[in-house]
């Protein structure tokens, strides 16, 4: 970022894998196997060798561009020998030590070996400050965009009042020691989507929607959804049984339609990296529901009380106008009924 070589950084991330970084072939679908690799290397060598990572860092650095850049820089690491944190600014880093300190600030011991610089040993600064907002303030920042990956470590209290925009992941990121091209690309897409949501350019939480898409969805489906709700449940007794406190709160929520869409998207495993409009999302959702119904009909799912099975069963009964069964399911599992009713509403209109 300091060198203004953004695409170079992207290309490096897109090519990272266990073989490139550590010279090890590991099944990246198996996090337990990856953990075993790092445990074995720690017992044997005090951490995995990071020589290949250092080579990548050294090749990526253009010291002239770095130190001549108008963009400042800071890093955090922990000096093990002296038992003290080290907060370094660009002006305090010697040119010949730049790559070493970059490696030190990323040496997540005990997975990685400690980094030695001038007879002192260093490790990742996250253990003492994994979101160094104060360092940015010391560098002169009066407005901060902080990317908080919920990583292990310590968050220090902010010592000065400045405008802070914090971006956090809405999706599950890959295991931080699992380096592979597929997850790197996916994580970058998640990061982009979360940033655009934070600044109001996109909408959603786990799923990502074009701006105003949820409002358009509500405009189209909310009224028919509520009409179906009242028509299907009819009797006051059943309405009272179904609309318990949690359901009433959910229905009253301004983000009610989005909540239903997100819960159903997760339930039927819709792709999380895509940017949807509501029409495409609903189409993909109903397509997955139909696939699951076909499986259900052939395998006769026994555990009906499972959330997904109950949604499918209620939706099927709604389509077949079997309202008695729908009302029974609604009383038994109101939240699943609400999801099924959403599916029914979007399939009918």
């Amino acid at each position: 970022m300091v060198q203004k070589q953004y695409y170079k950084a992207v290309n490096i991330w897109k090519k990272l894998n266990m073989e490139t970084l550590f010279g090890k072939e590991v099944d990246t679908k198996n996090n337990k196997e990856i953990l075993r690799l790092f445990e074995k290397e720690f017992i044997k060598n005090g951490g995995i060798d990071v020589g290949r990572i250092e080579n990548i860092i050294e090749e990526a650095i253009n010291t002239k561009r770095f130190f001549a850049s108008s963009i400042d820089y800071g890093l955090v690491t922990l000096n093990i020998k002296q038992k003290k944190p080290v907060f370094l600014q660009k002006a305090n880093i010697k040119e010949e030590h730049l790559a070493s300190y970059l490696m030190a600030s990323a040496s997540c011991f005990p997975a990685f070996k400690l980094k030695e610089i001038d007879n002192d040993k260093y490790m990742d600064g996250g253990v003492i400050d994994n979101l160094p907002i104060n360092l940015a303030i010391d560098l002169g920042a009066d407005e901060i965009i902080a990317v908080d990956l919920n990583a292990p470590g310590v968050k220090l209290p902010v010592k000065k009042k400045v405008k802070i925009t914090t971006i956090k992941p809405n999706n599950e990121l890959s295991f931080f020691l699992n380096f592979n091209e597929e997850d790197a690309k996916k994580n970058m897409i998640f990061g982009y989507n979360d940033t655009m949501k934070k600044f109001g350019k996109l909408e959603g939480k786990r799923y990502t929607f074009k701006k105003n898409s949820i409002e358009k969805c509500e405009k189209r489906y909310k009224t028919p959804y509520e009409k179906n709700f009242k028509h299907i449940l009819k009797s006051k007794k059943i309405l009272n049984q179904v609309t318990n406190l949690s359901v009433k709160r959910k229905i009253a929520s301004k983000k009610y339609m989005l909540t239903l869409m997100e819960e159903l998207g997760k339930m039927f495993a819709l792709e999380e990296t895509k940017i949807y409009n509501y029409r495409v999302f609903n189409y993909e959702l109903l397509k997955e529901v139909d696939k699951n119904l076909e499986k259900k009909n052939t395998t006769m799912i026994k555990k009906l009380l499972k959330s997904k099975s109950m949604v499918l069963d209620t939706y099927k009964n709604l389509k077949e106008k079997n309202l008695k069964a729908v009302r029974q399911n609604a009383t038994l599992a109101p939240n699943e009924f609400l999801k099924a009713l959403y599916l029914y509403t979007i399939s009918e209109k």
Side-chain angles (χ1 to χ4, degrees), residues 80-139:
I80 299 296
K81 190 176 178 181
Q82 296 181 28
K83 297 179 182 177
K84 68 175 187 180
V86 177
F87 296 89
L88 285 177
Q89 301 177 14
K90 188 162 72 170
N92 306 128
I93 302 172
K94 291 179 182 177
E95 190 174 314
E96 64 270 23
H97 284 161
L98 176 58
S100 295
Y101 276 118
L102 282 167
M103 187 66 246
S105 73
S107 295
C108 46
F109 184 80
F112 293 3
K113 280 184 176 180
L114 295 170
K115 176 62 185 171
E116 189 169 319
I117 307 170
D118 288 344
N119 298 318
D120 282 342
K121 290 189 175 180
Y122 296 85
M123 67 178 287
D124 190 327
V127 292
I128 41 129
D129 191 357
N130 76 354
L131 198 65
I133 290 171
N134 291 323
L135 177 56
I137 292 170
D138 290 341
L139 287 166

Side-chain angles (χ1 to χ4, degrees), residues 39-293:
E39 285 170 2
K40 183 181 172 184
E41 289 294 325
F42 173 69
I43 293 165
K44 189 178 175 183
N45 302 309
I48 203 162
D49 183 76
V50 291
R52 290 175 179 236
I53 301 179
E54 291 191 73
N55 290 338
I56 292 169
I57 291 172
E58 285 168 2
E59 286 172 15
I61 289 173
N62 181 323
T63 51
K64 282 185 180 178
R65 285 184 73 130
F66 182 87
F67 287 102
S69 172
S70 59
I71 301 170
D72 213 336
Y73 178 81
L75 62 81
V76 186
T77 184
L78 179 67
N79 186 317
I80 299 296
K81 190 176 178 181
Q82 296 181 28
K83 297 179 182 177
K84 68 175 187 180
V86 177
F87 296 89
L88 285 177
Q89 301 177 14
K90 188 162 72 170
N92 306 128
I93 302 172
K94 291 179 182 177
E95 190 174 314
E96 64 270 23
H97 284 161
L98 176 58
S100 295
Y101 276 118
L102 282 167
M103 187 66 246
S105 73
S107 295
C108 46
F109 184 80
F112 293 3
K113 280 184 176 180
L114 295 170
K115 176 62 185 171
E116 189 169 319
I117 307 170
D118 288 344
N119 298 318
D120 282 342
K121 290 189 175 180
Y122 296 85
M123 67 178 287
D124 190 327
V127 292
I128 41 129
D129 191 357
N130 76 354
L131 198 65
I133 290 171
N134 291 323
L135 177 56
I137 292 170
D138 290 341
L139 287 166
D142 53 19
E143 182 177 347
I144 291 166
I145 299 169
V147 181
D148 184 357
L149 298 179
N150 299 319
V154 175
K155 287 184 183 65
L156 298 179
V158 179
K159 62 186 179 184
K160 183 180 175 183
K161 192 173 182 181
V162 296
K163 183 182 177 184
I164 301 172
T165 301
T166 304
I167 301 168
K168 290 188 175 188
N170 285 305
N171 305 82
E172 187 178 345
L173 302 180
S174 57
F175 178 47
F176 78 107
L177 290 174
N178 185 349
F179 297 92
N180 66 83
E181 300 95 327
E182 187 182 333
D183 283 339
K185 289 172 187 175
K186 186 182 276 192
N187 289 344
M188 280 192 273
I189 293 169
F190 285 151
Y192 172 83
N193 291 349
D194 287 337
T195 303
M196 293 298 103
K197 288 176 207 173
K198 193 70 180 181
F199 288 95
K201 305 294 183 184
L202 295 171
E203 299 176 332
K205 197 171 181 184
R206 175 185 283 267
Y207 291 91
T208 306
F209 299 90
K210 291 181 179 178
K211 195 171 181 180
N212 300 323
S213 196
I214 304 305
E215 187 182 338
K216 289 175 185 175
C217 188
E218 286 187 344
K219 194 173 180 180
R220 183 170 186 184
Y221 294 118
K222 194 173 183 184
T223 300
Y225 180 88
E226 288 171 351
K227 280 182 181 176
N228 286 336
F229 183 88
K230 289 173 184 175
H231 169 71
I232 289 160
L233 298 183
K234 278 187 177 176
S235 88
K236 202 168 183 180
K237 184 182 176 183
I238 296 174
L239 268 169
N240 288 336
Q241 285 177 315
V242 172
T243 52
N244 59 36
L245 189 59
S246 68
V247 170
K248 281 179 182 174
R249 281 177 182 162
K250 192 175 277 190
I251 294 171
S253 166
K254 287 181 180 177
K255 295 182 179 178
Y256 174 50
M257 198 67 76
L258 174 62
T259 301
L260 282 174
M261 293 166 80
E262 297 243 354
E263 288 176 355
L264 283 162
K266 183 184 177 185
M267 182 175 280
F268 291 97
L270 262 61
E271 175 55 54
E272 294 180 21
T273 56
K274 283 185 182 179
I275 298 173
Y276 295 94
N277 64 46
Y278 80 92
R279 293 174 187 272
V280 172
F281 185 87
N282 287 339
Y283 172 78
E284 295 285 342
L285 185 57
L286 288 173
K287 195 164 75 171
E288 289 302 316
V289 168
D290 288 340
K291 282 183 193 174
N292 278 266
L293 276 173

